[in-house]
Every structure is written in structure tokens, then in C-alpha cells.
Amino acid sequence: MTQDQATTFTSRKRNIPPRYIFFLLVFLMYVISYGDRAALSIALPTLGKEFMLSPVQMGWVSSSFLWSYFLLNLPSTMLLDRKGARLIGSLAVSIWSFAMLLGGMAHNITQFLMTRVLLGVGEAPTFGVGATVVRNWALPKERGSVMTILLTGMQLGLAGGTIAGAYLIAFFGWRFEFIALGAIGLVWAAIWWMVYRSPAAKTSVPNRAPFSLNSIRNLFGSPSFLGILIVQCTQNYLNFLVMSWMPLYLIHELHIDITRTGTRTALCYLAAAAGAIVIGRILEHCTFRNGIHPPRRRFIVATCLGGAATIGFLPCFHTMTPILLILGGSLACLIAANGANTALLTDLIEDGDKIGTVTGVTLTCSNSLGLFAPIVTGYIVSYTGRFDMAWYMCAAALLGAGILSLLLVRAPISMQRDQ
């Protein structure tokens, strides 16, 4: 019996469709990815003291993995479309997990920054892998819900990485935290290589047309693609801001220690993950109760972005309960918006075999903006002593992106010149 036959036989025997196993593994990939990113945010106060970093320098360190990440989003996802999610998924997670191991062994800030750049190299195709698996294995009617559920893995990873990191730092130090989390990723990479397979129809496709610069230009000529891209850029900015600065923000506002900060931060992420699933399911049911019409997902996107914009109310509060409620609610809406927006892209792109590359284009643009979030916030905190302006900027951008999504996202996205 071959390995493929054994995998199919085992899945049938247990009555678990293989696609659910693949979705679970993608979910865990997002958990590990964002757990590794959270490792730095919770370690930043301790690491900053060890390396004697200012708030501005902390902002640059927080954004360092994005330097290579956004540069390689497009090349790595073009490679993904040619080589497949099995190889690229295993290779990507192995590279970034090895970078985590090296990060825990760094002796100075220069060495540490080099490991963060390597982390970005590994993480570059992550969301392309996820989008490819969803396009290949999810039914059209369930893509929005599947993508939202998968993306909650980001919040679970941030929660787990933050709270586990806080206690690992407290008992063993930040270096052990990085090494332990890196080892988990290597285990996932081995399992993905052994388990994942592309659909039979996908493996027999003969010759795919190359993805050219003309195709990219045609993408940017599509109003629907521009609307999806604008939403991706604004939500990525807030996502990276929160991911990089939330622990320090809570320490600044609530004057609590690192373990309590880790617990509160994790609570926000877990509440956001649960809330995103509920919000996404309710809005998807209401939007498609009379039938599936993919462009109508833009109403879900706009509604959720409006909810995420409540982040602008944070400067009005200075006690724990309202701050945690606003953060949790805003992040829940942000995840739901991201899931619906990603589903819009997978639904509207006409050439589904290039979904990985198209995802890479959106990530290249959105991450080129998102990498400034930790840096800009560092300067805001350094010069004003507060985070207020950062929250106001995000709220205004999210509202604007929701309006543009309603106006622009209507037609299928073509990469052909004649459309």
C-alpha cells in the first residue's frame, strides 16, 4: 500500500474527510506563525533592557522581520504556484522555526536582527499556502467561514505565544522561549510533508501560463482588486501595530507586570478569535440567505471594518475592563473582516490556479505599509509619551477602507488584457 493510499484509507476509516485534516493543519500553521511573532512582543520589555533599546529602536526591531517578509511575498507565492503547497509549506515553516532557534542564541542586537530577517523569509508564503489550500479544498459557499475560522489561528497563536512566552520568560528567560517555540514549528513541518496532498485534478494540470508583469498591471486595473487591496493594507497596519505594541501598551496604561500583561493580552486574543467566528457566521448567514453572490461579501467587510474602528475609543479609557473590551471587540471585527476580504479574493479571481501569486501581490503591498506600523508607533510614543494618535489614525483608515470596499468591489477580477 502506498503512502497516499494509506492516508486515504486511514481518513475513510475514521470518517474524517482529508480536507478537514488539511484545514486543521493550516490553522495550526497560523497558530505557530503568530505564536512566534508574539514571542518578540512579550519579550520586548526584557530584551529591550538587555540590549538597552529606546522606544524608537524597539519599533524598528519589531518591524525587522517584515523587511524580508514583504519583499519575498510575491516571489515566494509565485514559487508556491509552481511547486505546490506541500513543499513550500514544509520548507517555509522549517526556515522560520530555525530562525527562532537562532534568535534564542543571539548575543547582540545585530545578530538578533539577522534572525528576524530570516524569520521573514520563512513566513513570506504562509498566507499564500493557506489561500491555496482553501481554494483547492473548500466549497465556494463555505470559503468565507473556513477562512475566518482559519484566521482565528492568528489570534490563538498570539494568545498562546503571549501567555506561554510570559511564563517561559519569567521562569527560564526569553532565550529559552524562542528555542522552545522554534522546536514546535519543526514538528509541524515534518507532519505537513507527510500528510498534505493536492487534489487529483490539480496535480494533473499540464502547463500553466506564467504570471507576468502584464498580469500584475491588469490586476491593478481592476476596481474590485483595488478595493480588496485597500482593505488588506489598512487591516494589516492595525494588526501589526497591536501585535507589536499591545503588551507594552498595557504595561504603560495599566502599570502591571509581565505575567499579568501576558494573561490580559492572551485574553484579548482569545475573545477576539471566538468573537470573529460568531460575527463572521452571523453576517455570512444574513448576507447570503437568498443565495450565494460573492461580491456581496463586501457588505460583511465594511460592517466588520466599522466595528474594528472602535479602536479609536481607546484613548477615552484608562482602566482594565473597558480597555480589554475595546481591544477584544475591535480585533474580533478585524479578523472577521480579514476572513471575508480574503474569501472575496479567492471567489472573484478568475484564474484560480494563480491564487497563491495573487495573494502574494496583495501581501507585498499590504505588508509594505504594515511594516511601518511598529516604527511609526515607536516615534509617536517617543515624542508624545502616549499611544492616542496611533489609535486615531487606525480608526480613520478602517472607516475609509470600508467605504471604498462598498464602492469598488463588484465584478470578477481578471488578469487578461481584454477585460
Side-chain angles (χ1 to χ4, degrees):
M1 182 181 290
T2 66
Q3 185 178 11
D4 288 348
Q5 290 172 332
T7 302
T8 303
F9 174 79
T10 302
S11 298
R12 287 177 179 172
K13 183 178 180 180
R14 297 178 181 176
N15 296 319
I16 302 175
R19 68 197 191 104
Y20 292 129
I21 298 174
F22 303 153
F23 293 156
L24 174 62
L25 287 172
V26 170
F27 176 83
L28 292 176
M29 177 180 66
Y30 290 161
V31 171
I32 295 168
S33 170
Y34 273 74
D36 290 349
R37 297 185 192 189
L40 176 59
S41 66
I42 194 63
L44 202 54
T46 305
L47 185 147
K49 289 180 181 178
E50 180 173 332
F51 293 138
M52 295 180 291
L53 304 178
S54 68
V56 170
Q57 290 171 323
M58 288 183 185
W60 282 96
V61 170
S62 295
S63 72
S64 55
F65 92 93
L66 288 166
W67 304 343
S68 55
Y69 182 68
F70 96 92
L71 286 174
L72 293 178
N73 279 147
L74 181 55
S76 65
T77 48
M78 292 176 71
L79 186 63
L80 166 65
D81 283 339
R82 296 180 66 84
K83 298 299 183 180
R86 181 185 179 220
L87 173 63
I88 300 304
S90 295
L91 185 61
V93 180
S94 296
I95 290 173
W96 95 53
S97 299
F98 182 63
M100 288 291 292
L101 295 176
L102 292 178
M105 303 174 189
H107 295 293
N108 55 58
I109 192 61
T110 301
Q111 292 178 359
F112 185 76
L113 286 174
M114 292 174 66
T115 69
R116 300 305 291 177
V117 172
L118 182 61
L119 181 86
V121 172
E123 293 211 359
T126 301
F127 288 96
V129 170
T132 299
V133 173
V134 170
R135 175 78 186 207
N136 287 348
W137 290 97
L139 302 175
K141 66 179 181 180
E142 67 182 12
R143 283 175 184 161
S145 297
V146 169
M147 186 58 71
T148 297
I149 293 171
L150 295 182
L151 289 175
T152 60
M154 295 161 41
Q155 305 306 309
L156 187 60
L158 290 171
T162 300
I163 193 166
Y167 283 95
L168 287 173
I169 291 168
F171 289 103
F172 304 106
W174 69 269
R175 295 178 184 278
F176 181 84
E177 173 206 17
F178 273 65
I179 293 171
L181 293 177
I184 293 173
L186 293 176
V187 173
W188 184 96
I191 294 173
W192 180 256
W193 177 258
M194 291 187 293
V195 171
Y196 183 74
R197 296 294 183 271
S198 297
K202 296 291 180 182
T203 57
S204 61
V205 174
N207 293 315
R208 294 175 177 175
F211 195 86
S212 64
L213 291 177
N214 283 335
S215 299
I216 296 177
R217 282 196 291 267
N218 293 332
L219 274 177
F220 284 94
S222 165
S224 291
F225 180 76
L226 290 177
I228 291 171
L229 181 61
I230 290 168
V231 170
Q232 184 72 25
C233 288
T234 53
Q235 72 87 20
N236 244 17
Y237 187 92
L238 177 57
N239 183 40
F240 286 128
L241 190 164
V242 171
M243 181 175 60
S244 302
W245 284 99
M246 189 194 291
L248 280 171
Y249 170 73
L250 294 178
I251 290 173
H252 180 274
E253 287 293 322
L254 303 176
H255 309 290
I256 52 181
D257 60 28
I258 192 166
T259 54
R260 292 180 67 200
T261 298
T263 304
R264 272 57 176 184
T265 302
L267 182 62
C268 284
Y269 289 139
L270 291 174
I277 295 174
V278 174
I279 292 169
R281 290 289 293 175
I282 291 174
L283 290 178
E284 197 163 63
H285 174 75
C286 295
T287 303
F288 297 131
R289 63 181 180 274
N290 295 322
I292 300 295
H293 183 56
R296 289 184 62 83
R297 286 193 201 276
R298 71 187 189 277
F299 295 109
I300 300 176
V301 172
T303 301
C304 291
L305 289 178
T310 57
I311 199 81
F313 291 113
L314 270 181
C316 301
F317 301 97
H318 306 285
T319 56
M320 184 174 298
T321 300
I323 286 177
L324 295 183
L325 286 174
I326 291 173
L327 282 170
S330 176
L331 289 176
C333 291
L334 192 72
I335 303 166
N338 192 6
N341 197 57
T342 305
L344 262 178
L345 185 63
T346 60
D347 283 340
L348 295 183
I349 191 71
E350 291 186 337
D351 190 347
D353 289 332
K354 295 187 176 68
I355 184 60
T357 303
V358 175
T359 301
V361 174
T362 64
L363 290 174
T364 299
C365 296
S366 63
N367 289 327
S368 65
L369 178 65
L371 70 86
F372 288 104
I375 299 170
V376 171
T377 305
Y379 280 102
I380 289 173
V381 174
S382 179
Y383 286 107
T384 68
R386 300 194 58 80
F387 289 80
D388 298 6
M389 185 55 63
W391 305 130
Y392 293 145
M393 289 168 53
C394 287
L398 290 167
L399 290 174
I403 293 171
L404 289 174
S405 180
L406 290 174
L407 295 175
L408 296 177
V409 182
R410 296 177 181 273
I413 301 169
S414 173
M415 293 180 286
Q416 303 302 319
R417 288 184 176 182
D418 57 347
Q419 294 189 24

